[in-house]
Amino acid sequence: MNNVNGFILIDAPASALNNAGPDIGAKTENTIAVKKIRRGRGEYVYVSGQAFRYWIRNSLENIFRWELSPIERESKIAFTAANPFKYPDDDVFGYMKAIGKKSGTTLTRVSPFKCSPLISVTPVNIVNDFGVMARHEGDPVPYEHQFYSTVLKGIFSLDLDSVGRFSSVNKTGYMNITQAYKEEWETHNCIVEEDGKVISLPVDIRGKRASELIGVLPYIFGGAKQTSHLTDVSPKFIVLAILNCGNNIFMNIAVDEKGEAAINVKALKEVILDYQENIISDLYIGKREGFMDEYNEDLKHMLDELNSTLSNIKVHLLTVNDAVSNFQQVVSGFYKR
């Protein structure tokens, strides 16, 4: 199991990126509330994992011209084409589709790309913003919506072994394809393994898909209320590495420090040292100048210590775009080993 492990921080200074719908019990009937969870006495706003994946999928279409899998709808269910040979988003985001009511066959594919919701690092004071629609004749129409100022954190992983590799084993999550796809895999010059139960795309296609999924991170765009809040949701801080295990070791490196979001440099150093035998690539840290600059010296000091200690990996501190760009080359190279 070889996974890209990633951690990001997104700055959301005055934002309402994911809404929960009408706020029942509010003073006005059309108040729109933001999504939030409670932990202890504090409220933490979040962007759902589904929304985050939607941002990435759409950005892949926009930046790398991915042809997205068409959506079909039957009654109350909707599904994609479930063709991972033709549509790269079916490959990396997974699917579930019944392909025949008589046969009872259902194709399922566990998503190689996994992510957490984006959650505020600290408890949030949510603001109710009052407005009116008054450009028409007659009484103005009042409305309210909520927004907040915070730093959101999130983790993600990409199963590099699964990208571009499809199984026909009759087991939930593993029956990605059937013999009906034979013409597709022959057209794409796929590699057939395990007596035809596993089909793999050529390594250059697998590397391209995985690399582009990582490469789109500086360009992700999306979120609610962009017309009046315009939040740049690209990461301002990012950590990337390939591990030979499924643990996401960077989950706890952003912390609440007296009500402000903070980077726990000691925690980052500790997990790198603890998992140094499991980290199988160089580790890339990307940071945007102007965001949490108070940690610049601590990060540089950590780099010097680690790079003089570690023999199997090197740690890099770059801009966000340079870190992602360099790591894309690492991901592409993974498939050429």
Side-chain angles (χ1 to χ4, degrees), residues 122-169:
T122 62
V124 173
N125 291 319
I126 298 172
V127 174
N128 284 310
D129 187 57
F130 179 79
V132 294
M133 174 62 178
R135 291 189 293 112
H136 56 284
E137 292 186 1
D139 297 333
V141 178
Y143 65 90
E144 285 185 66
H145 81 277
Q146 297 181 340
F147 70 94
Y148 48 79
S149 179
T150 191
V151 173
L152 301 164
K153 66 176 180 179
I155 56 172
F156 61 88
S157 70
L158 178 64
D159 182 349
L160 295 175
D161 299 325
S162 293
V163 173
R165 195 165 188 264
F166 316 118
S167 162
S168 60
V169 175

mmCIF file of all heavy atoms in Angstrom, residues 122-169:
data_model
loop_
_atom_site.group_PDB
_atom_site.id
_atom_site.type_symbol
_atom_site.label_atom_id
_atom_site.label_comp_id
_atom_site.label_asym_id
_atom_site.label_seq_id
_atom_site.Cartn_x
_atom_site.Cartn_y
_atom_site.Cartn_z
ATOM 1 N N THR A 122 -9.692 26.404 14.856
ATOM 2 C CA THR A 122 -10.109 26.967 16.148
ATOM 3 C C THR A 122 -11.630 27.126 16.185
ATOM 4 O O THR A 122 -12.284 27.124 15.143
ATOM 5 C CB THR A 122 -9.477 28.362 16.355
ATOM 6 O OG1 THR A 122 -9.959 29.227 15.304
ATOM 7 C CG2 THR A 122 -7.959 28.285 16.295
ATOM 8 N N PRO A 123 -12.216 27.256 17.387
ATOM 9 C CA PRO A 123 -13.645 27.605 17.453
ATOM 10 C C PRO A 123 -13.891 28.934 16.739
ATOM 11 O O PRO A 123 -13.016 29.794 16.674
ATOM 12 C CB PRO A 123 -13.906 27.715 18.952
ATOM 13 C CG PRO A 123 -12.831 26.937 19.595
ATOM 14 C CD PRO A 123 -11.626 27.080 18.727
ATOM 15 N N VAL A 124 -15.104 29.082 16.216
ATOM 16 C CA VAL A 124 -15.390 30.210 15.330
ATOM 17 C C VAL A 124 -16.539 31.061 15.876
ATOM 18 O O VAL A 124 -17.521 30.527 16.397
ATOM 19 C CB VAL A 124 -15.764 29.675 13.931
ATOM 20 C CG1 VAL A 124 -16.234 30.799 13.018
ATOM 21 C CG2 VAL A 124 -14.575 28.969 13.306
ATOM 22 N N ASN A 125 -16.382 32.377 15.771
ATOM 23 C CA ASN A 125 -17.496 33.287 16.028
ATOM 24 C C ASN A 125 -18.225 33.516 14.706
ATOM 25 O O ASN A 125 -17.669 34.124 13.788
ATOM 26 C CB ASN A 125 -16.986 34.625 16.576
ATOM 27 C CG ASN A 125 -16.416 34.489 17.968
ATOM 28 O OD1 ASN A 125 -16.965 33.772 18.811
ATOM 29 N ND2 ASN A 125 -15.298 35.152 18.214
ATOM 30 N N ILE A 126 -19.431 33.022 14.626
ATOM 31 C CA ILE A 126 -20.188 33.115 13.377
ATOM 32 C C ILE A 126 -20.999 34.408 13.369
ATOM 33 O O ILE A 126 -21.701 34.722 14.334
ATOM 34 C CB ILE A 126 -21.113 31.899 13.223
ATOM 35 C CG1 ILE A 126 -20.265 30.614 13.147
ATOM 36 C CG2 ILE A 126 -21.989 32.028 11.986
ATOM 37 C CD1 ILE A 126 -21.077 29.333 13.183
ATOM 38 N N VAL A 127 -20.876 35.152 12.268
ATOM 39 C CA VAL A 127 -21.545 36.446 12.128
ATOM 40 C C VAL A 127 -22.838 36.271 11.335
ATOM 41 O O VAL A 127 -22.866 35.570 10.333
ATOM 42 C CB VAL A 127 -20.625 37.449 11.400
ATOM 43 C CG1 VAL A 127 -21.354 38.758 11.109
ATOM 44 C CG2 VAL A 127 -19.372 37.693 12.210
ATOM 45 N N ASN A 128 -23.921 36.894 11.812
ATOM 46 C CA ASN A 128 -25.162 36.959 11.043
ATOM 47 C C ASN A 128 -25.193 38.279 10.298
ATOM 48 O O ASN A 128 -25.250 39.357 10.912
ATOM 49 C CB ASN A 128 -26.374 36.857 11.973
ATOM 50 C CG ASN A 128 -26.597 35.441 12.459
ATOM 51 O OD1 ASN A 128 -26.637 34.488 11.683
ATOM 52 N ND2 ASN A 128 -26.700 35.286 13.767
ATOM 53 N N ASP A 129 -25.121 38.217 8.986
ATOM 54 C CA ASP A 129 -25.097 39.424 8.171
ATOM 55 C C ASP A 129 -26.508 39.710 7.654
ATOM 56 O O ASP A 129 -27.124 38.852 7.005
ATOM 57 C CB ASP A 129 -24.130 39.243 6.997
ATOM 58 C CG ASP A 129 -23.944 40.528 6.230
ATOM 59 O OD1 ASP A 129 -23.547 41.530 6.847
ATOM 60 O OD2 ASP A 129 -24.222 40.535 5.020
ATOM 61 N N PHE A 130 -26.986 40.910 7.949
ATOM 62 C CA PHE A 130 -28.344 41.304 7.576
ATOM 63 C C PHE A 130 -28.311 42.078 6.269
ATOM 64 O O PHE A 130 -27.488 42.968 6.077
ATOM 65 C CB PHE A 130 -28.959 42.165 8.694
ATOM 66 C CG PHE A 130 -30.345 42.642 8.401
ATOM 67 C CD1 PHE A 130 -31.446 41.806 8.560
ATOM 68 C CD2 PHE A 130 -30.562 43.935 7.954
ATOM 69 C CE1 PHE A 130 -32.727 42.253 8.286
ATOM 70 C CE2 PHE A 130 -31.838 44.393 7.671
ATOM 71 C CZ PHE A 130 -32.915 43.546 7.843
ATOM 72 N N GLY A 131 -29.205 41.763 5.363
ATOM 73 C CA GLY A 131 -29.292 42.490 4.105
ATOM 74 C C GLY A 131 -30.734 42.632 3.648
ATOM 75 O O GLY A 131 -31.636 42.003 4.212
ATOM 76 N N VAL A 132 -30.938 43.479 2.661
ATOM 77 C CA VAL A 132 -32.272 43.630 2.085
ATOM 78 C C VAL A 132 -32.174 43.668 0.572
ATOM 79 O O VAL A 132 -31.199 44.153 0.004
ATOM 80 C CB VAL A 132 -32.986 44.922 2.576
ATOM 81 C CG1 VAL A 132 -33.295 44.864 4.044
ATOM 82 C CG2 VAL A 132 -32.159 46.166 2.237
ATOM 83 N N MET A 133 -33.207 43.149 -0.065
ATOM 84 C CA MET A 133 -33.378 43.300 -1.505
ATOM 85 C C MET A 133 -34.342 44.455 -1.689
ATOM 86 O O MET A 133 -35.510 44.368 -1.269
ATOM 87 C CB MET A 133 -33.938 42.011 -2.107
ATOM 88 C CG MET A 133 -34.296 42.115 -3.575
ATOM 89 S SD MET A 133 -32.865 42.488 -4.612
ATOM 90 C CE MET A 133 -33.647 42.457 -6.218
ATOM 91 N N ALA A 134 -33.858 45.592 -2.258
ATOM 92 C CA ALA A 134 -34.675 46.799 -2.290
ATOM 93 C C ALA A 134 -34.695 47.468 -3.657
ATOM 94 O O ALA A 134 -35.075 48.629 -3.772
ATOM 95 C CB ALA A 134 -34.178 47.792 -1.225
ATOM 96 N N ARG A 135 -34.286 46.766 -4.699
ATOM 97 C CA ARG A 135 -34.236 47.396 -6.013
ATOM 98 C C ARG A 135 -35.573 47.340 -6.747
ATOM 99 O O ARG A 135 -35.697 47.811 -7.852
ATOM 100 C CB ARG A 135 -33.139 46.739 -6.862
ATOM 101 C CG ARG A 135 -31.741 47.056 -6.348
ATOM 102 C CD ARG A 135 -30.648 46.591 -7.307
ATOM 103 N NE ARG A 135 -30.602 45.139 -7.399
ATOM 104 C CZ ARG A 135 -30.930 44.442 -8.468
ATOM 105 N NH1 ARG A 135 -31.349 45.069 -9.559
ATOM 106 N NH2 ARG A 135 -30.847 43.134 -8.478
ATOM 107 N N HIS A 136 -36.561 46.742 -6.125
ATOM 108 C CA HIS A 136 -37.874 46.605 -6.758
ATOM 109 C C HIS A 136 -38.859 47.593 -6.102
ATOM 110 O O HIS A 136 -38.569 48.178 -5.055
ATOM 111 C CB HIS A 136 -38.387 45.173 -6.571
ATOM 112 C CG HIS A 136 -38.456 44.751 -5.130
ATOM 113 N ND1 HIS A 136 -37.330 44.399 -4.395
ATOM 114 C CD2 HIS A 136 -39.501 44.667 -4.268
ATOM 115 C CE1 HIS A 136 -37.681 44.095 -3.182
ATOM 116 N NE2 HIS A 136 -38.999 44.257 -3.054
ATOM 117 N N GLU A 137 -40.023 47.754 -6.709
ATOM 118 C CA GLU A 137 -41.073 48.569 -6.107
ATOM 119 C C GLU A 137 -41.694 47.809 -4.934
ATOM 120 O O GLU A 137 -41.747 46.585 -4.930
ATOM 121 C CB GLU A 137 -42.147 48.884 -7.147
ATOM 122 C CG GLU A 137 -41.673 49.816 -8.261
ATOM 123 C CD GLU A 137 -42.813 50.202 -9.177
ATOM 124 O OE1 GLU A 137 -43.959 49.769 -8.925
ATOM 125 O OE2 GLU A 137 -42.555 50.941 -10.147
ATOM 126 N N GLY A 138 -42.180 48.565 -3.940
ATOM 127 C CA GLY A 138 -42.812 47.925 -2.795
ATOM 128 C C GLY A 138 -41.845 47.750 -1.641
ATOM 129 O O GLY A 138 -40.721 48.274 -1.634
ATOM 130 N N ASP A 139 -42.272 47.003 -0.621
ATOM 131 C CA ASP A 139 -41.467 46.825 0.587
ATOM 132 C C ASP A 139 -40.181 46.060 0.290
ATOM 133 O O ASP A 139 -40.177 45.119 -0.506
ATOM 134 C CB ASP A 139 -42.269 46.061 1.645
ATOM 135 C CG ASP A 139 -43.506 46.827 2.103
ATOM 136 O OD1 ASP A 139 -43.466 48.078 2.016
ATOM 137 O OD2 ASP A 139 -44.477 46.179 2.525
ATOM 138 N N PRO A 140 -39.065 46.454 0.943
ATOM 139 C CA PRO A 140 -37.815 45.686 0.785
ATOM 140 C C PRO A 140 -37.960 44.295 1.406
ATOM 141 O O PRO A 140 -38.751 44.098 2.334
ATOM 142 C CB PRO A 140 -36.780 46.529 1.538
ATOM 143 C CG PRO A 140 -37.561 47.345 2.493
ATOM 144 C CD PRO A 140 -38.890 47.615 1.845
ATOM 145 N N VAL A 141 -37.197 43.349 0.877
ATOM 146 C CA VAL A 141 -37.234 41.966 1.387
ATOM 147 C C VAL A 141 -35.973 41.717 2.214
ATOM 148 O O VAL A 141 -34.861 41.731 1.673
ATOM 149 C CB VAL A 141 -37.293 40.953 0.234
ATOM 150 C CG1 VAL A 141 -37.293 39.518 0.775
ATOM 151 C CG2 VAL A 141 -38.519 41.209 -0.631
ATOM 152 N N PRO A 142 -36.120 41.528 3.524
ATOM 153 C CA PRO A 142 -34.929 41.271 4.356
ATOM 154 C C PRO A 142 -34.447 39.837 4.231
ATOM 155 O O PRO A 142 -35.232 38.927 3.957
ATOM 156 C CB PRO A 142 -35.442 41.553 5.776
ATOM 157 C CG PRO A 142 -36.895 41.221 5.716
ATOM 158 C CD PRO A 142 -37.362 41.575 4.324
ATOM 159 N N TYR A 143 -33.168 39.658 4.424
ATOM 160 C CA TYR A 143 -32.599 38.305 4.455
ATOM 161 C C TYR A 143 -31.331 38.338 5.302
ATOM 162 O O TYR A 143 -30.759 39.397 5.568
ATOM 163 C CB TYR A 143 -32.296 37.779 3.043
ATOM 164 C CG TYR A 143 -31.228 38.548 2.310
ATOM 165 C CD1 TYR A 143 -29.888 38.186 2.421
ATOM 166 C CD2 TYR A 143 -31.547 39.634 1.509
ATOM 167 C CE1 TYR A 143 -28.902 38.890 1.745
ATOM 168 C CE2 TYR A 143 -30.582 40.347 0.837
ATOM 169 C CZ TYR A 143 -29.258 39.967 0.958
ATOM 170 O OH TYR A 143 -28.280 40.678 0.297
ATOM 171 N N GLU A 144 -30.896 37.164 5.725
ATOM 172 C CA GLU A 144 -29.667 37.059 6.512
ATOM 173 C C GLU A 144 -28.858 35.875 6.010
ATOM 174 O O GLU A 144 -29.408 34.882 5.525
ATOM 175 C CB GLU A 144 -29.966 36.827 7.994
ATOM 176 C CG GLU A 144 -30.447 38.058 8.744
ATOM 177 C CD GLU A 144 -30.590 37.770 10.230
ATOM 178 O OE1 GLU A 144 -29.558 37.516 10.883
ATOM 179 O OE2 GLU A 144 -31.732 37.775 10.718
ATOM 180 N N HIS A 145 -27.556 35.979 6.131
ATOM 181 C CA HIS A 145 -26.714 34.797 5.935
ATOM 182 C C HIS A 145 -25.553 34.874 6.915
ATOM 183 O O HIS A 145 -25.224 35.937 7.435
ATOM 184 C CB HIS A 145 -26.218 34.687 4.488
ATOM 185 C CG HIS A 145 -25.036 35.553 4.170
ATOM 186 N ND1 HIS A 145 -25.155 36.883 3.838
ATOM 187 C CD2 HIS A 145 -23.708 35.273 4.133
ATOM 188 C CE1 HIS A 145 -23.948 37.391 3.600
ATOM 189 N NE2 HIS A 145 -23.059 36.437 3.773
ATOM 190 N N GLN A 146 -24.969 33.717 7.168
ATOM 191 C CA GLN A 146 -23.877 33.637 8.126
ATOM 192 C C GLN A 146 -22.528 33.570 7.408
ATOM 193 O O GLN A 146 -22.428 33.030 6.307
ATOM 194 C CB GLN A 146 -24.042 32.383 9.007
ATOM 195 C CG GLN A 146 -25.303 32.397 9.852
ATOM 196 C CD GLN A 146 -25.440 31.164 10.723
ATOM 197 O OE1 GLN A 146 -24.821 30.125 10.463
ATOM 198 N NE2 GLN A 146 -26.242 31.265 11.768
ATOM 199 N N PHE A 147 -21.500 34.116 8.039
ATOM 200 C CA PHE A 147 -20.137 33.906 7.552
ATOM 201 C C PHE A 147 -19.171 33.930 8.725
ATOM 202 O O PHE A 147 -19.551 34.196 9.868
ATOM 203 C CB PHE A 147 -19.762 34.914 6.452
ATOM 204 C CG PHE A 147 -19.571 36.338 6.905
ATOM 205 C CD1 PHE A 147 -18.297 36.807 7.224
ATOM 206 C CD2 PHE A 147 -20.632 37.209 6.984
ATOM 207 C CE1 PHE A 147 -18.094 38.123 7.617
ATOM 208 C CE2 PHE A 147 -20.449 38.536 7.378
ATOM 209 C CZ PHE A 147 -19.188 38.992 7.695
ATOM 210 N N TYR A 148 -17.913 33.670 8.453
ATOM 211 C CA TYR A 148 -16.927 33.474 9.532
ATOM 212 C C TYR A 148 -15.535 33.821 9.028
ATOM 213 O O TYR A 148 -15.308 33.952 7.813
ATOM 214 C CB TYR A 148 -16.942 32.011 10.008
ATOM 215 C CG TYR A 148 -16.886 31.023 8.869
ATOM 216 C CD1 TYR A 148 -15.687 30.710 8.221
ATOM 217 C CD2 TYR A 148 -18.059 30.407 8.406
ATOM 218 C CE1 TYR A 148 -15.652 29.825 7.155
ATOM 219 C CE2 TYR A 148 -18.029 29.519 7.343
ATOM 220 C CZ TYR A 148 -16.824 29.236 6.717
ATOM 221 O OH TYR A 148 -16.791 28.367 5.661
ATOM 222 N N SER A 149 -14.617 33.950 9.961
ATOM 223 C CA SER A 149 -13.207 34.126 9.645
ATOM 224 C C SER A 149 -12.420 33.044 10.362
ATOM 225 O O SER A 149 -12.470 32.943 11.594
ATOM 226 C CB SER A 149 -12.720 35.513 10.090
ATOM 227 O OG SER A 149 -11.340 35.662 9.807
ATOM 228 N N THR A 150 -11.695 32.223 9.598
ATOM 229 C CA THR A 150 -10.979 31.109 10.224
ATOM 230 C C THR A 150 -9.923 30.552 9.281
ATOM 231 O O THR A 150 -9.792 30.997 8.136
ATOM 232 C CB THR A 150 -11.973 29.990 10.616
ATOM 233 O OG1 THR A 150 -11.312 29.044 11.447
ATOM 234 C CG2 THR A 150 -12.517 29.278 9.386
ATOM 235 N N VAL A 151 -9.172 29.597 9.786
ATOM 236 C CA VAL A 151 -8.254 28.799 8.962
ATOM 237 C C VAL A 151 -8.772 27.367 8.990
ATOM 238 O O VAL A 151 -9.003 26.801 10.054
ATOM 239 C CB VAL A 151 -6.810 28.859 9.495
ATOM 240 C CG1 VAL A 151 -5.908 27.885 8.732
ATOM 241 C CG2 VAL A 151 -6.267 30.275 9.395
ATOM 242 N N LEU A 152 -8.970 26.795 7.793
ATOM 243 C CA LEU A 152 -9.488 25.434 7.677
ATOM 244 C C LEU A 152 -8.338 24.461 7.436
ATOM 245 O O LEU A 152 -7.413 24.762 6.681
ATOM 246 C CB LEU A 152 -10.469 25.342 6.507
ATOM 247 C CG LEU A 152 -11.696 26.263 6.570
ATOM 248 C CD1 LEU A 152 -12.344 26.358 5.195
ATOM 249 C CD2 LEU A 152 -12.698 25.743 7.589
ATOM 250 N N LYS A 153 -8.427 23.293 8.081
ATOM 251 C CA LYS A 153 -7.404 22.261 7.850
ATOM 252 C C LYS A 153 -8.050 21.019 7.259
ATOM 253 O O LYS A 153 -9.220 20.724 7.495
ATOM 254 C CB LYS A 153 -6.682 21.892 9.154
ATOM 255 C CG LYS A 153 -7.571 21.205 10.189
ATOM 256 C CD LYS A 153 -6.761 20.791 11.416
ATOM 257 C CE LYS A 153 -7.660 20.108 12.460
ATOM 258 N NZ LYS A 153 -6.886 19.670 13.643
ATOM 259 N N GLY A 154 -7.269 20.271 6.477
ATOM 260 C CA GLY A 154 -7.776 19.038 5.882
ATOM 261 C C GLY A 154 -6.641 18.102 5.519
ATOM 262 O O GLY A 154 -5.499 18.528 5.311
ATOM 263 N N ILE A 155 -6.958 16.819 5.499
ATOM 264 C CA ILE A 155 -5.982 15.822 5.062
ATOM 265 C C ILE A 155 -6.558 15.062 3.880
ATOM 266 O O ILE A 155 -7.771 15.010 3.692
ATOM 267 C CB ILE A 155 -5.621 14.829 6.190
ATOM 268 C CG1 ILE A 155 -6.879 14.135 6.737
ATOM 269 C CG2 ILE A 155 -4.850 15.512 7.297
ATOM 270 C CD1 ILE A 155 -6.584 13.009 7.718
ATOM 271 N N PHE A 156 -5.673 14.496 3.086
ATOM 272 C CA PHE A 156 -6.122 13.669 1.970
ATOM 273 C C PHE A 156 -5.071 12.609 1.680
ATOM 274 O O PHE A 156 -3.914 12.699 2.125
ATOM 275 C CB PHE A 156 -6.378 14.522 0.714
ATOM 276 C CG PHE A 156 -5.174 15.257 0.213
ATOM 277 C CD1 PHE A 156 -4.292 14.670 -0.679
ATOM 278 C CD2 PHE A 156 -4.904 16.546 0.644
ATOM 279 C CE1 PHE A 156 -3.181 15.350 -1.149
ATOM 280 C CE2 PHE A 156 -3.793 17.235 0.190
ATOM 281 C CZ PHE A 156 -2.936 16.638 -0.710
ATOM 282 N N SER A 157 -5.493 11.582 0.946
ATOM 283 C CA SER A 157 -4.543 10.558 0.522
ATOM 284 C C SER A 157 -4.908 10.103 -0.877
ATOM 285 O O SER A 157 -6.059 10.232 -1.316
ATOM 286 C CB SER A 157 -4.536 9.376 1.490
ATOM 287 O OG SER A 157 -5.739 8.640 1.383
ATOM 288 N N LEU A 158 -3.929 9.571 -1.584
ATOM 289 C CA LEU A 158 -4.156 9.010 -2.914
ATOM 290 C C LEU A 158 -3.450 7.662 -2.971
ATOM 291 O O LEU A 158 -2.219 7.589 -2.833
ATOM 292 C CB LEU A 158 -3.605 9.942 -3.997
ATOM 293 C CG LEU A 158 -3.758 9.429 -5.438
ATOM 294 C CD1 LEU A 158 -5.229 9.305 -5.814
ATOM 295 C CD2 LEU A 158 -3.038 10.342 -6.428
ATOM 296 N N ASP A 159 -4.233 6.603 -3.138
ATOM 297 C CA ASP A 159 -3.700 5.247 -3.219
ATOM 298 C C ASP A 159 -3.051 5.065 -4.600
ATOM 299 O O ASP A 159 -3.744 4.819 -5.587
ATOM 300 C CB ASP A 159 -4.842 4.246 -3.006
ATOM 301 C CG ASP A 159 -4.364 2.805 -3.031
ATOM 302 O OD1 ASP A 159 -3.217 2.558 -3.410
ATOM 303 O OD2 ASP A 159 -5.165 1.923 -2.659
ATOM 304 N N LEU A 160 -1.741 5.186 -4.644
ATOM 305 C CA LEU A 160 -1.032 5.147 -5.933
ATOM 306 C C LEU A 160 -1.120 3.779 -6.593
ATOM 307 O O LEU A 160 -1.113 3.665 -7.816
ATOM 308 C CB LEU A 160 0.430 5.545 -5.733
ATOM 309 C CG LEU A 160 0.668 6.989 -5.278
ATOM 310 C CD1 LEU A 160 2.148 7.220 -4.986
ATOM 311 C CD2 LEU A 160 0.184 7.981 -6.334
ATOM 312 N N ASP A 161 -1.195 2.731 -5.776
ATOM 313 C CA ASP A 161 -1.277 1.375 -6.340
ATOM 314 C C ASP A 161 -2.600 1.149 -7.065
ATOM 315 O O ASP A 161 -2.669 0.341 -7.994
ATOM 316 C CB ASP A 161 -1.118 0.329 -5.238
ATOM 317 C CG ASP A 161 0.225 0.429 -4.550
ATOM 318 O OD1 ASP A 161 1.216 0.751 -5.229
ATOM 319 O OD2 ASP A 161 0.287 0.208 -3.331
ATOM 320 N N SER A 162 -3.658 1.830 -6.632
ATOM 321 C CA SER A 162 -4.988 1.600 -7.204
ATOM 322 C C SER A 162 -5.277 2.460 -8.426
ATOM 323 O O SER A 162 -6.155 2.100 -9.227
ATOM 324 C CB SER A 162 -6.071 1.878 -6.141
ATOM 325 O OG SER A 162 -5.988 0.923 -5.107
ATOM 326 N N VAL A 163 -4.590 3.588 -8.552
ATOM 327 C CA VAL A 163 -4.854 4.457 -9.704
ATOM 328 C C VAL A 163 -4.542 3.701 -10.998
ATOM 329 O O VAL A 163 -3.452 3.160 -11.165
ATOM 330 C CB VAL A 163 -4.011 5.751 -9.628
ATOM 331 C CG1 VAL A 163 -4.179 6.562 -10.912
ATOM 332 C CG2 VAL A 163 -4.407 6.579 -8.420
ATOM 333 N N GLY A 164 -5.524 3.627 -11.893
ATOM 334 C CA GLY A 164 -5.315 2.964 -13.177
ATOM 335 C C GLY A 164 -5.225 1.456 -13.102
ATOM 336 O O GLY A 164 -4.772 0.814 -14.061
ATOM 337 N N ARG A 165 -5.654 0.856 -12.002
ATOM 338 C CA ARG A 165 -5.596 -0.604 -11.827
ATOM 339 C C ARG A 165 -6.976 -1.072 -11.372
ATOM 340 O O ARG A 165 -7.470 -0.638 -10.319
ATOM 341 C CB ARG A 165 -4.527 -0.958 -10.791
ATOM 342 C CG ARG A 165 -4.116 -2.423 -10.773
ATOM 343 C CD ARG A 165 -2.816 -2.578 -9.980
ATOM 344 N NE ARG A 165 -2.280 -3.931 -10.086
ATOM 345 C CZ ARG A 165 -2.492 -4.872 -9.191
ATOM 346 N NH1 ARG A 165 -3.209 -4.607 -8.104
ATOM 347 N NH2 ARG A 165 -1.988 -6.086 -9.349
ATOM 348 N N PHE A 166 -7.591 -1.965 -12.145
ATOM 349 C CA PHE A 166 -9.000 -2.301 -11.921
ATOM 350 C C PHE A 166 -9.173 -3.803 -11.736
ATOM 351 O O PHE A 166 -8.544 -4.608 -12.426
ATOM 352 C CB PHE A 166 -9.835 -1.815 -13.107
ATOM 353 C CG PHE A 166 -9.452 -0.434 -13.558
ATOM 354 C CD1 PHE A 166 -8.950 -0.222 -14.842
ATOM 355 C CD2 PHE A 166 -9.537 0.641 -12.689
ATOM 356 C CE1 PHE A 166 -8.569 1.039 -15.248
ATOM 357 C CE2 PHE A 166 -9.155 1.909 -13.090
ATOM 358 C CZ PHE A 166 -8.668 2.108 -14.378
ATOM 359 N N SER A 167 -10.079 -4.138 -10.822
ATOM 360 C CA SER A 167 -10.298 -5.538 -10.461
ATOM 361 C C SER A 167 -11.685 -5.989 -10.903
ATOM 362 O O SER A 167 -12.627 -5.198 -10.951
ATOM 363 C CB SER A 167 -10.154 -5.681 -8.938
ATOM 364 O OG SER A 167 -10.743 -6.879 -8.498
ATOM 365 N N SER A 168 -11.802 -7.295 -11.211
ATOM 366 C CA SER A 168 -13.119 -7.869 -11.509
ATOM 367 C C SER A 168 -13.522 -8.892 -10.447
ATOM 368 O O SER A 168 -14.449 -9.674 -10.656
ATOM 369 C CB SER A 168 -13.106 -8.538 -12.886
ATOM 370 O OG SER A 168 -12.150 -9.587 -12.933
ATOM 371 N N VAL A 169 -12.832 -8.887 -9.321
ATOM 372 C CA VAL A 169 -13.166 -9.800 -8.231
ATOM 373 C C VAL A 169 -14.551 -9.457 -7.695
ATOM 374 O O VAL A 169 -14.851 -8.284 -7.422
ATOM 375 C CB VAL A 169 -12.121 -9.703 -7.104
ATOM 376 C CG1 VAL A 169 -12.533 -10.572 -5.910
ATOM 377 C CG2 VAL A 169 -10.750 -10.109 -7.623
#
